[in-house]
Amino acid sequence: MLSIEKYQEEFIKFLEDYKIVKAPQGLYQPIEYILNLGGKRLRPVLTLMTAHIFNSDYKKALNAALSIEVFHNFSLVHDDIMDDAPLRRGHQTVHEKWDINTGILSGDAMLIMAYQLFEHYEADVFQALAKLFSKTALEVCEGQQYDIDFEMRNDVTIPEYLKMIEFKTAVLVGAAMKMGAIVAKASTEDQEGIYDFGRYLGIAFQLQDDYLDAFGDPKTFGKQVGGDIIENKKTYLYLKALQFAEASDKNELEALFASNVDDASEKIVRAKAIFQSSGSAEATKSAILEYTNKAFDVLETLDISEDKKALLKAFGHNLMNRTV
């Protein structure tokens, strides 16, 4: 097995050789831009690692890993348009650097390019990858729609929110790992098990992202801190605060999340104070740990060595303790 950093290096080298810019440049330059903004490369690393874990040459999974990364970045381009987000990984978003029409069209092209990468595999692997990818892509769209719907609702429940982040974020992490298992031709049981491991880890990852959106360091987080508060998103932090807060704080928080102000600095300060005083911030940390441990429990069902389980656990712990 390789280190996480080595998988990242191998993937980035493969990405650099992926020929993107061609005519018309107005379509492909934004794609090259978003793919080279950096990021954690979490999903492709998981694809490569999983292929290796199930005794395959991880290099055979590079095209599947790149497909996941292209799709993930496609979804970010369109998400940023819907959220009117100014920054992505500390840089201008595609629609800000170019325009909205370019963001939509370049994003569409990325979705097609993601499918094309499966053409490098034999028929049975291609079919399994494409079937999983189509299911996952549709679930990601469903999760995004739930997220949009929740902005207009005041009765979102915690189970509903967890379902939304499972579809919007976690299923793609699960799919990234299952793709590695498919390329490695692991057993059906192991394919499903590693998918569940990734899915639980993905939920923990998104809960951690929610937490960092409010309490992360702007220098390392890469996105606008407090963005979810500005956009009145009903995150786990917000829902737990409503559940735990005193009546006066609950009323204030609901009023804050019903407002749209030009200068949101005070809104962010007050919301974060209520998240902390209510116990919501700590509850969110506990939920991150809970879903990470659920992922670790799944590892015990997999037909892999203890050393490989330890590697996956180390990856999970790193995610849980990240600051970016």
Side-chain angles (χ1 to χ4, degrees):
M1 299 299 298
L2 305 181
S3 67
I4 301 303
E5 293 74 20
K6 183 61 176 175
Y7 287 120
Q8 288 173 325
E9 289 174 15
E10 289 292 313
F11 176 74
I12 291 169
K13 193 184 305 178
F14 188 73
L15 174 61
E16 288 172 349
D17 292 335
Y18 182 53
K19 303 304 179 186
I20 300 169
V21 176
K22 49 189 175 181
Q25 290 191 355
L27 177 67
Y28 292 105
Q29 279 183 340
I31 297 173
E32 182 182 49
Y33 172 78
I34 188 69
L35 286 175
N36 286 284
L37 278 189
K40 295 169 284 293
R41 313 296 187 186
L42 163 70
R43 296 153 193 84
V45 164
L46 287 174
T47 302
L48 300 180
M49 185 193 305
T50 305
H52 219 167
I53 280 168
F54 289 112
N55 303 314
S56 174
D57 179 355
Y58 71 90
K59 292 183 179 180
K60 292 181 179 179
L62 279 165
N63 281 294
L66 182 54
S67 175
I68 281 287
E69 185 70 358
V70 171
F71 175 81
H72 172 59
N73 280 275
F74 142 74
S75 71
L76 296 182
V77 171
H78 282 192
D79 284 0
D80 286 341
I81 292 171
M82 286 183 270
D83 293 341
D84 195 23
L87 295 176
R88 170 64 62 182
R89 297 167 185 155
H91 295 78
Q92 278 185 298
T93 50
V94 168
H95 72 277
E96 286 285 333
K97 187 173 176 64
W98 282 272
D99 53 51
I100 289 176
N101 288 345
T102 298
I104 293 170
L105 191 59
S106 293
D108 290 345
M110 291 174 76
L111 178 58
I112 297 163
M113 292 163 69
Y115 272 102
Q116 285 182 324
L117 287 158
F118 297 143
E119 296 170 7
H120 294 274
Y121 296 100
E122 60 267 35
D124 59 333
V125 175
F126 174 96
Q127 184 180 39
L129 290 172
K131 183 177 180 181
L132 172 61
F133 189 89
S134 296
K135 172 182 176 290
T136 304
L138 191 57
E139 287 174 337
V140 170
C141 291
E142 291 170 1
Q144 177 67 7
Q145 186 61 53
Y146 282 131
D147 195 19
I148 293 168
D149 291 346
F150 289 174
E151 292 181 27
M152 306 302 295
R153 286 178 49 191
N154 295 317
D155 59 347
V156 178
T157 66
I158 288 174
E160 284 179 319
Y161 180 75
L162 290 171
K163 179 179 180 180
M164 182 274 287
I165 64 172
E166 178 181 349
F167 278 20
K168 185 177 177 181
T169 300
V171 295
L172 192 58
V173 179
M177 302 200 77
K178 187 174 180 180
M179 282 186 180
I182 289 170
V183 171
K185 300 187 176 180
S187 69
T188 301
E189 293 77 15
D190 281 341
Q191 288 182 26
E192 292 304 317
I194 203 68
Y195 175 84
D196 285 339
F197 171 81
R199 183 170 57 87
Y200 285 132
L201 209 60
I203 294 172
F205 178 86
Q206 185 56 54
L207 291 172
Q208 179 77 332
D209 210 54
D210 291 354
Y211 182 86
L212 290 173
D213 187 273
F215 298 105
D217 183 343
K219 295 178 182 177
T220 59
F221 187 46
K223 291 187 287 184
Q224 182 179 22
V225 172
D228 289 344
I229 297 169
I230 294 170
E231 295 163 24
N232 300 323
K233 287 186 176 291
K234 304 340 188 264
T235 64
Y236 194 87
L237 276 167
Y238 172 81
L239 297 173
K240 276 293 181 183
L242 290 186
Q243 184 179 14
F244 293 156
E246 300 290 337
S248 59
D249 283 345
K250 179 180 177 181
N251 291 337
E252 181 183 358
L253 191 62
E254 288 176 327
L256 287 170
F257 275 68
S259 67
N260 291 289
V261 293
D262 292 333
D263 183 0
S265 56
E266 182 60 24
K267 176 178 178 177
I268 293 169
V269 169
R270 284 301 306 144
K272 288 171 62 173
I274 295 171
F275 291 162
Q276 290 177 311
S277 64
S278 67
S280 168
E282 285 302 314
T284 302
K285 287 183 179 180
S286 295
I288 294 165
L289 179 61
E290 175 189 350
Y291 279 96
T292 302
N293 286 335
K294 283 185 177 183
F296 292 166
D297 289 343
V298 172
L299 289 180
E300 300 310 312
T301 70
L302 299 181
D303 186 20
I304 58 176
S305 69
E306 292 303 316
D307 286 348
K308 291 175 179 178
K309 291 176 184 178
L311 179 67
L312 289 170
K313 283 185 178 180
F315 190 89
H317 282 303
N318 287 339
L319 281 185
M320 191 174 67
N321 295 314
R322 68 192 172 96
T323 60
V324 298

